[in-house]
Amino acid sequence: MVKQEPTPEPSPGDASPPTTWQGWQQFVDAPPPTPPGPGTPPRSTEERLAYHSDFVTVRTPAIDTISTTVRTLMVLGRHQRATARPSLIVTGPPTTGKTTALLQVGRTCHLAETARTGIRDQMPVAYVLVPPGASAKTLAAEFARFLGIPITHRMTGAQIMTSVCDTYTRAGVRLVMIDEIHRLNPRTSTGAEATDLLKDLTERIAATFVYAGIDVTATPLFTGTRGAQLAGRATLIDCDTIPARRGTSQPFRDLVASLEACLDLDQHRPGTLPRLALYLHGRTGGRIGSLARLLRQAAITAILDSTERITKATLEAITLDHLAEDNHRPRHQASPTSRRRNGHRNSTPGRAELP
């Protein structure tokens, strides 16, 4: 394994992706964004724009559950040698915070392991994305790319895998996080080979494997013999959308209040956004990713136009991701074609009222 040389502190635009060791180390070392506190000096406009661009990661029940489960599974499999260690699958709809939770848990694990051993440049955590149309060779190459393992086009998949297993073992990797797992399709020949490769990696690398993907249980990944093997070894955690109400509690309103408390706007009135919780739930479908983007974009808009506060009008002016906008759009709105057929050629569709 090539020794990792120290690199200068990168600017945000120069940061490498966390799917390489250098990028992962940058992610771990970067201090998390800090909300404004009482008595702290005011930030400049540029500093506040950068803060809302990055923004805080609010600790959610999903992150707590994943963190606790990963910690338990790592202890459970620490001395297991004969078979693959127990693993974890994080699933759920798009933009519900799966990747964010995965990265935060990985960062916590990395910092805890380096604090325990006192070794600054060790590599306890790996983060890999499943490439589109993954084959065994291209997936093995992604594992190699993370640690900078040199590979050539002439190397076979088996040769790359052997190099990966040896290097990961020597590096002391204890947690392997594999994102976009829904891209694997074991019903195809290449997908079946890639799925078998993952199974072999779990048996040859002494680490806990955590997978994340969109609605994994509804994909071919859980079908057939290979799917049964994966399901029989993995705990499943569902990162679902956040309901407006759960019994007597209002978890979505609580999330909105937590995010509002982290804003850095001079004229924003505390309590404004929690009062709009039902509206925000309708806009985002209860997806934390869509909510965070909406509030970040609204805060940046408020700074740029000097209003320094977020109102419902501010939120209404923002166009979100298509998934959120489609969720917010009236369900039974007539198409332009059907309106013409019904003789309403010049009519304009109305917007449904929110509850």
Side-chain angles (χ1 to χ4, degrees), residues 61-317:
I63 292 179
D64 289 336
T65 301
I66 295 170
S67 180
T68 300
T69 305
V70 167
R71 187 166 59 247
T72 302
L73 292 179
M74 291 180 71
V75 175
L76 181 64
R78 182 175 296 166
H79 301 291
Q80 186 173 329
R81 297 180 182 178
T83 59
R85 289 157 179 77
S87 56
L88 173 67
I89 297 175
V90 180
T91 184
T95 70
T96 51
K98 298 178 297 297
T99 295
T100 298
L102 205 65
L103 291 173
Q104 291 304 314
V105 169
R107 184 177 188 272
T108 300
C109 175
H110 183 112
L111 294 174
E113 188 66 15
T114 53
R116 184 182 69 83
T117 62
I119 303 174
R120 169 67 179 78
D121 58 351
Q122 69 178 117
M123 304 175 181
V125 178
Y127 178 63
V128 176
L129 293 184
V130 175
S135 65
K137 187 172 183 178
T138 58
L139 183 55
E142 287 300 305
F143 278 84
R145 189 170 76 93
F146 180 81
L147 284 188
I149 302 170
I151 59 174
T152 66
H153 292 296
R154 294 183 178 181
M155 293 177 69
T156 65
Q159 289 173 325
I160 298 174
M161 180 175 172
T162 297
S163 181
V164 165
C165 292
D166 290 345
T167 306
Y168 273 57
T169 299
R170 291 200 309 271
V173 175
R174 295 290 175 260
L175 177 65
V176 177
M177 305 184 300
I178 305 172
D179 209 347
E180 308 290 351
I181 194 69
H182 57 272
R183 290 176 174 173
L184 286 180
N185 183 1
R187 292 177 180 171
T188 67
S189 57
T190 55
E193 292 172 357
T195 305
D196 288 341
L197 171 83
L198 277 185
K199 178 179 177 294
D200 291 343
L201 287 174
T202 63
E203 294 174 346
R204 295 177 59 179
I205 298 176
T208 297
F209 280 65
V210 179
Y211 311 95
I214 298 173
D215 295 330
V216 174
T217 55
T219 69
L221 194 62
F222 265 29
T223 60
T225 303
R226 292 179 176 87
Q229 286 182 323
L230 179 61
R233 291 177 173 179
T235 300
L236 189 73
I237 293 179
D238 195 347
C239 282
D240 206 348
T241 56
I242 301 173
R245 292 184 179 276
R246 184 185 289 122
T248 58
S249 65
Q250 300 182 56
F252 190 80
R253 181 188 175 97
D254 294 341
L255 174 62
V256 171
S258 296
L259 290 170
E260 184 188 59
C262 297
L263 296 174
D264 194 354
L265 297 172
D266 293 342
Q267 302 298 323
H268 185 76
R269 296 178 180 177
T272 299
L273 298 182
R275 286 192 291 273
L276 295 173
L278 288 179
Y279 162 76
L280 289 169
H281 195 273
R283 281 294 307 271
T284 63
R287 296 176 175 88
I288 187 173
S290 298
L291 174 66
R293 173 181 167 176
L294 177 60
L295 298 189
R296 288 166 53 220
Q297 193 166 339
I300 289 173
T301 300
I303 294 173
L304 293 176
D305 66 14
S306 301
T307 58
E308 292 288 345
R309 63 180 178 272
I310 298 176
T311 64
K312 187 174 181 180
T314 311
L315 299 168
E316 279 286 295

Side-chain angles (χ1 to χ4, degrees), residues 35-41:
T40 57

Side-chain angles (χ1 to χ4, degrees), residues 43-53 264 300 303-304:
R43 293 164 167 158
S44 67
T45 297
E46 194 57 41
E47 287 173 333
R48 291 190 299 128
L49 289 172
Y51 167 73
H52 289 105
S53 174
D264 194 354
I300 289 173
I303 294 173
L304 293 176

Side-chain angles (χ1 to χ4, degrees), residues 6-66:
T7 56
E9 186 72 18
S11 65
D14 296 333
S16 301
T19 49
T20 65
W21 172 249
Q22 182 185 31
W24 178 258
Q25 191 68 58
Q26 290 171 359
F27 167 72
V28 170
D29 289 343
T34 305
T40 57
R43 293 164 167 158
S44 67
T45 297
E46 194 57 41
E47 287 173 333
R48 291 190 299 128
L49 289 172
Y51 167 73
H52 289 105
S53 174
D54 194 4
F55 210 47
V56 299
T57 298
V58 175
R59 193 84 181 181
T60 63
I63 292 179
D64 289 336
T65 301
I66 295 170

